[in-house]
Amino acid sequence: MKESEERSSNIDEQKARIRQRYKGIDPEELEVIPALPPEDIFKTEKKLRVAVYARVSTDDPRQTSSYELQKNHYQDVVNKNPNWMLVEIYADEGISGTSLQHRDAFKKMIEDCEAGKIDLIITKSVSRFARNVVDCIRYVRELSSLRPPVGVFFETEHLNTLDPKSEMILSFMSTLAQEESHTKSEIMNSSIEMRFRRGIFLTPPLLGYDQDENGNLVINPHEAKIVQLIFYMYLNGSSAQQIADSLTELGCRTKKNNDVWSSSTILQILQNERHCGDVLARKTWTPNYLDHKSRKNNQDRNQYRKVGHHEAIISRDDFIAVQKLITNAKYGNKEILPELHVIQEGSLSGFISINPRWSGFKARDYFEASQSVLKPENMNAPDTVTASAGSFDLRDYEVARGQFFSSVGRISVSFSYKQISFNKDAIRKFPNIKFVEMLIHPRSKLLAIRPCSSETKNKVQWSRLKDGQPIPKPISGAAFLPTLYEIFKWDKKCKYRILGVAHQKDNENVLIFNMDDTEIRIPTTTNDVSSPNNNTPDTISDSKSVLAYPADWMNSFGNNYYTQSQAPELTEFTADKNWQTASESKPYKEPELQTTPKETIIQNIKNIITEIKGDTQ
C-alpha cells in the first residue's frame, strides 16, 4: 500500500515540475526578431534572373500562333520589370506535357536552375508546365530546395511556388491538369474508334502513294517503282540491308526525302499491308496516356481491316509470301517460303511434319492440312466395342495412368514455350540415332517421333555425345512452339510433360505421345495455380513450380479399359496393320499463293532498275 502511495506522489511531483517549466518567462524579457515577409516578385528591388517556359502540345501549324504569342508575351513581361533580367526563353513545340520524354527545353531549363543560372521561372499555367501531377510536384519541390531556391510563377493561377501556401493549391491544380489531359485522351480515342467503325482510316504519308484533296491514296508512279523493286528483291532472296544499300546506290529517296536507306525502313515498307491495297487499323495502342508508350495490339483493342481499300502496288499473294519469309528469317531460315507437309498413308496418315524453326502458320493451318487426308470413314471414332464369346466384361475397369506411378524407365518429352526436351529413356529407344523427325496430329492430339537421316528436310537433332554416350539435346522451338501451344490450348506460362509409348515392328520404330495426357508444371508466381484449363494442382511442388493434373482426373484412376484400348496411339500400331511409318510427307496445298514467277521477278528487277536510273539522270 505504501509503495502505491509513493508512486502516486512521485507522479504528481513530476507533473508539477513540468507545469512550472512550461510557464515560460515574461514575454517582455524576450526579444523577437521578425522574419522577412515573403518577397513580392513583381515589387522586389533585388535583381532576378528570369526564365520563361512555353509549350504547345502538337506540331499543327495552327498552334504556331499560340507558341509565338506565349514567347512574345513573356518577353514583354520581363522587359517591363526593370529588376528582371531575361536568361532565356525555353520552348518545347509539338510536345505533350504528360511526360518529360522529348521535352528537351524543359530538361535544359532544370539543369540551368541546378547550375545556379536562374532565380525565377515564369510560365502561362500549371498545364503548360506539366500535366502530370507527380512530375509537377517533384520539380517544384526540387527547385524550391535549391540554394538559393528557384520559384515558379504560374500566371493564369497567379501562383508563386515559393509561397508556403502554394503546394496544396498546386497539387489541386496539377491534378485538374492531368485529368484534363486524360479526358482529352479518352475523347480522342473515342473519336478514332468511331472513325474506324465507319471505315474512315488515318492515312499517314506512305511511300508509293500521294493523297488527293479528299485524303484518298493515289499511286505515285515513281515511288511505286521503288516499292515494287523492294518487294521483288526480297522475294528474290535479297536481305533488307542489301536492298537498302542498292536503293542508296541508285540515288532513290525515302518518303522523308532521305537519300540513305536503312534495313529498318525496308522492313517497315515490306510489312505495310497498304502496299497490297488493304488497310489494317490500330496495329498499336497506348495503354498509359501519361508515358505515351505504344505497344503492339495483340487483340487488346479492336482492329479494323478493309480489303481492297485502294489501288494496290503489289499483289496480295506476293505480300503474303513476303510476310512468311520475314517471319521465318527471324529464326535463321533464309530464302525459304515454308509449306506444310502431311503424311497421306499408313499408320501416321494425317500427321504433319514439324520444322521447329518455321513460323508463319496458324493452328487452323495444321488442322486443315491434317484434315485434307482424312478419309470420311475415319472422321468419327467408333463408339462400340465388339467382344467375343467368353471374354471378360471390363466395362467398369480402368487402366491406371502411368503418371500416378514411378516414371523411371518411361519415355517422356517436356515442353516449355521455347524449348522441347526428350529424356534419356526416349533417346535409348533409337540407338545411335542423332536426328529424328517430329510429327503432330492436331485432331487426335498426338505427337510422333521417327528416326531420320541428316538429309531429311525437317530433321531435328535430339541427342549429342557426352563421354561417348548419347544424351538428350534440347531443341529450340521459339518459332513453332507458340503455335503448338495454341493447337493444344496450353498455357504459355506452364511447362508440360508427356509420357510416351514406343512401337517397334521389324525395322520400323516410332514413339507416340498423347498430348491430351499431360503433367503440368505451373510456376509458383502464378496467383491461381489452378488457372490453366482448370487443372487441379497436385501436392508435389518445388520452389519454382507446382505439379498439376487435369481436373477430370480427380474422380478416376485412368481411362475406361475399352476407351483406352481404342486409343489411336495403340490401335494404329497393332501387329496386323501395315504401319508404313517411313511414308514420306507430301506438301499440303493450302489455297495456293499465286506469287509472281521467279523468272518474272528477275526480269522485273532489271526493268525497274533501268527505269529508276533513267529517272534520276
Side-chain angles (χ1 to χ4, degrees):
M1 187 70 177
K2 286 185 178 181
E3 291 180 0
S4 176
E5 291 176 353
E6 288 177 359
R7 280 199 302 271
S8 177
S9 176
N10 289 336
I11 291 173
D12 291 339
E13 290 176 2
Q14 290 176 12
K15 289 181 178 180
R17 286 196 297 270
I18 292 172
R19 292 189 186 101
Q20 183 63 34
R21 185 166 65 248
Y22 277 88
K23 284 182 179 180
I25 64 174
D26 187 345
E28 294 183 358
E29 298 178 6
L30 188 67
E31 180 184 2
V32 178
I33 304 172
L36 294 173
E39 187 176 45
D40 187 333
I41 59 174
F42 292 100
K43 296 180 180 179
T44 182
E45 295 183 0
K46 178 184 175 182
K47 296 290 185 182
L48 293 179
R49 296 164 298 174
V50 178
V52 172
Y53 180 70
R55 180 184 64 81
V56 292
S57 57
T58 72
D59 279 324
D60 191 326
R62 290 171 293 183
Q63 288 221 6
T64 302
S65 59
S66 171
Y67 176 72
E68 292 299 326
L69 284 172
Q70 286 184 63
K71 290 171 60 177
N72 295 337
H73 168 71
Y74 288 110
Q75 193 160 14
D76 292 341
V77 169
V78 173
N79 291 338
K80 287 178 182 178
N81 195 315
N83 292 320
W84 286 6
M85 179 179 67
L86 181 63
V87 176
E88 187 176 339
I89 296 178
Y90 300 85
D92 284 313
E93 188 173 9
I95 304 296
S96 171
T98 55
S99 170
L100 292 178
Q101 190 176 14
H102 307 307
R103 294 179 67 185
D104 298 331
F106 184 90
K107 293 175 184 177
K108 182 177 183 297
M109 179 179 69
I110 298 299
E111 290 173 359
D112 288 347
C113 289
E114 293 171 344
K117 299 178 181 179
I118 298 171
D119 299 313
L120 177 68
I121 298 171
I122 297 179
T123 189
K124 180 180 179 182
S125 65
V126 173
S127 63
R128 294 299 92 192
F129 190 76
R131 285 187 179 272
N132 183 318
V133 176
V134 174
D135 288 341
C136 184
I137 299 299
R138 176 164 67 94
Y139 278 102
V140 164
R141 286 177 176 173
E142 285 184 9
L143 294 172
S144 298
S145 66
L146 296 174
R147 290 293 175 265
V150 176
V152 182
F153 180 72
F154 302 102
E155 185 183 37
T156 302
E157 294 83 7
H158 202 75
L159 187 66
N160 181 5
T161 59
L162 294 183
D163 184 341
K165 302 175 183 178
S166 68
E167 183 160 321
M168 184 183 73
I169 301 173
L170 180 61
S171 299
F172 180 69
M173 299 305 297
S174 58
T175 300
L176 288 179
Q178 178 174 311
E179 187 55 31
E180 180 186 1
S181 182
H182 184 202
T183 301
K184 287 181 177 179
S185 175
E186 291 295 320
I187 292 173
M188 184 176 295
N189 286 334
S190 178
S191 174
I192 291 173
E193 180 76 15
M194 288 188 285
R195 287 170 60 98
F196 288 166
R197 284 180 179 175
R198 298 183 65 84
I200 303 172
F201 301 106
L202 303 176
T203 52
L206 179 66
L207 185 71
Y209 292 96
D210 294 326
Q211 293 183 24
D212 63 17
E213 61 276 7
N214 296 318
N216 299 317
L217 293 176
V218 292
I219 290 180
N220 178 314
H222 174 70
E223 293 180 356
K225 294 176 188 176
I226 300 174
V227 172
Q228 290 174 333
L229 179 61
I230 290 170
F231 275 87
Y232 288 144
M233 288 183 70
Y234 198 82
L235 285 169
N236 196 42
S238 297
S239 68
Q241 187 58 56
Q242 289 171 333
I243 297 171
D245 293 341
S246 297
L247 294 179
T248 300
E249 185 178 346
L250 285 170
C252 299
R253 291 189 172 273
T254 68
K255 194 66 176 178
K256 294 182 178 180
N257 205 33
N258 295 326
D259 56 3
V260 177
W261 293 72
S262 66
S263 59
S264 60
T265 300
I266 299 300
L267 284 174
Q268 287 175 1
I269 293 170
L270 290 171
Q271 293 175 306
N272 196 320
E273 78 291 339
R274 298 189 184 219
H275 290 119
C276 71
D278 300 342
V279 173
L280 176 62
R282 194 174 277 156
K283 298 174 190 173
T284 61
W285 69 295
T286 305
N288 191 330
Y289 73 97
L290 293 176
D291 61 21
H292 302 283
K293 292 181 179 178
S294 62
R295 294 181 185 174
K296 185 177 180 180
N297 186 2
N298 294 315
Q299 294 185 304
D300 299 290
R301 293 291 184 272
N302 294 334
Q303 289 185 306
Y304 299 87
R305 185 192 303 277
K306 177 67 173 70
V307 177
H309 176 266
H310 53 272
E311 187 178 356
I313 293 176
I314 54 103
S315 74
R316 185 172 291 105
D317 285 353
D318 280 350
F319 178 80
I320 294 172
V322 165
Q323 305 320 299
K324 291 191 175 185
L325 286 170
I326 291 173
T327 302
N328 285 282
K330 297 176 184 177
Y331 304 101
N333 298 315
K334 304 293 185 181
E335 305 176 28
I336 297 175
L337 189 60
E339 57 184 358
L340 293 179
H341 284 65
V342 61
I343 297 176
Q344 300 182 3
E345 56 188 359
S347 296
L348 295 178
S349 176
F351 278 80
I352 300 164
S353 180
I354 299 171
N355 187 328
R357 298 177 300 279
W358 275 2
S359 181
F361 294 108
K362 303 295 183 183
R364 66 174 181 273
D365 297 323
Y366 286 89
F367 278 98
E368 290 173 2
S370 178
Q371 194 87 354
S372 69
V373 299
L374 191 62
K375 297 177 181 178
E377 60 268 23
N378 296 331
M379 291 290 287
N380 297 308
D383 54 5
T384 60
V385 176
T386 302
S388 58
S391 298
F392 287 105
D393 185 354
L394 300 175
R395 283 177 292 182
D396 294 330
Y397 287 80
E398 295 176 343
V399 179
R401 294 185 176 89
Q403 288 86 348
F404 295 159
F405 301 92
S406 171
S407 60
V408 175
R410 297 287 304 275
I411 65 174
S412 69
V413 60
S414 299
F415 293 87
S416 69
Y417 202 59
K418 293 185 178 181
Q419 187 172 279
I420 307 169
S421 301
F422 292 89
N423 68 351
K424 289 183 179 180
D425 296 298
I427 301 297
R428 294 190 186 107
K429 293 297 180 180
F430 296 162
N432 304 317
I433 296 296
K434 185 177 181 181
F435 297 101
V436 295
E437 185 178 10
M438 302 171 60
L439 308 109
I440 63 165
H441 196 302
R443 185 171 178 271
S444 298
K445 297 185 177 180
L446 298 177
L447 171 73
I449 308 298
R450 64 182 183 181
C452 69
S453 71
S454 59
E455 304 300 320
T456 303
K457 185 175 182 179
N458 287 349
K459 67 180 182 299
V460 292
Q461 184 180 346
W462 78 333
S463 68
R464 62 184 179 87
L465 291 178
K466 182 179 181 181
D467 299 329
Q469 297 296 320
I471 62 171
K473 181 181 184 298
I475 301 167
S476 175
F480 167 73
L481 282 171
T483 305
L484 182 133
Y485 269 61
E486 181 186 359
I487 290 172
F488 299 122
K489 295 181 171 58
W490 288 350
D491 188 313
K492 67 180 181 181
K493 297 187 295 294
C494 300
K495 296 180 180 180
Y496 295 81
R497 177 174 176 265
I498 303 99
L499 298 179
V501 179
H503 295 282
Q504 192 273 333
K505 185 177 74 170
D506 299 330
N507 293 325
E508 296 187 83
N509 292 279
V510 65
L511 307 182
I512 301 293
F513 299 86
N514 185 345
M515 308 295 274
D516 210 21
D517 208 12
T518 64
E519 294 177 355
I520 308 161
R521 281 285 177 182
I522 305 174
T524 53
T525 53
T526 303
N527 293 330
D528 179 8
V529 294
S530 63
S531 57
N533 301 326
N534 295 320
N535 295 304
T536 301
D538 190 274
T539 54
I540 302 172
S541 65
D542 55 32
S543 60
K544 295 182 179 180
S545 62
V546 174
L547 178 62
Y549 299 113
D552 55 9
W553 288 16
M554 292 178 63
N555 301 317
S556 67
F557 291 103
N559 292 325
N560 173 272
Y561 173 80
Y562 292 112
T563 301
Q564 181 71 18
S565 67
Q566 296 298 309
E569 64 266 34
L570 300 176
T571 57
E572 293 298 326
F573 296 94
T574 56
D576 60 326
K577 287 197 173 185
N578 185 12
W579 292 5
Q580 295 179 277
T581 57
S583 296
E584 184 179 354
S585 59
K586 297 181 180 180
Y588 161 63
K589 296 298 182 182
E590 59 180 348
E592 192 169 353
L593 295 176
Q594 300 295 326
T595 55
T596 304
K598 188 78 170 178
E599 300 77 13
T600 305
I601 288 176
I602 294 172
Q603 188 59 48
N604 286 345
I605 292 173
K606 293 179 180 178
N607 294 341
I608 294 172
I609 289 176
T610 301
E611 292 176 12
I612 290 176
K613 286 181 177 179
D615 292 342
T616 55
Q617 288 178 353

